[in-house]
């Protein structure tokens, strides 16, 4: 069974904006709002690397 408490790897290269705990994790990690994470994913896709580049520009 997949537990939302396990937020380590295997999917740390993709961001799922449909999961609240992932939005929380990535917004804290990048120091931006959840809406900013959603905006970045909409602009560049779910790749963590692409989202990080988008947020840093």
């Amino acid at each position: 069974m997949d537990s939302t408490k396990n937020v380590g790897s295997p999917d740390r290269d993709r961001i799922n904006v449909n999961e609240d705990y992932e939005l929380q994790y990535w917004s804290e990690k990048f120091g931006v709002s959840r809406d900013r994470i959603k905006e970045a994913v909409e602009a560049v896709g779910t790749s963590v690397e692409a989202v990080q580049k988008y947020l840093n520009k």
Side-chain angles (χ1 to χ4, degrees):
M1 179 177 209
D2 190 24
S3 171
T4 58
K5 301 291 182 215
N6 296 333
V7 294
S9 283
D11 271 350
R12 282 294 161 235
D13 57 341
R14 300 270 173 227
I15 299 173
N16 182 350
V17 296
N18 298 312
E19 292 290 349
D20 190 57
Y21 71 93
E22 286 208 26
L23 277 176
Q24 174 79 26
Y25 174 85
W26 292 112
S27 68
E28 288 178 9
K29 181 163 179 69
F30 292 135
V32 299
S33 70
R34 292 175 184 209
D35 287 339
R36 187 85 167 112
I37 296 292
K38 288 179 183 179
E39 173 192 315
V41 167
E42 190 172 311
V44 299
T46 61
S47 163
V48 170
E49 186 177 328
V51 167
Q52 187 170 22
K53 287 179 184 176
Y54 177 87
L55 293 172
N56 287 332
K57 66 176 180 169

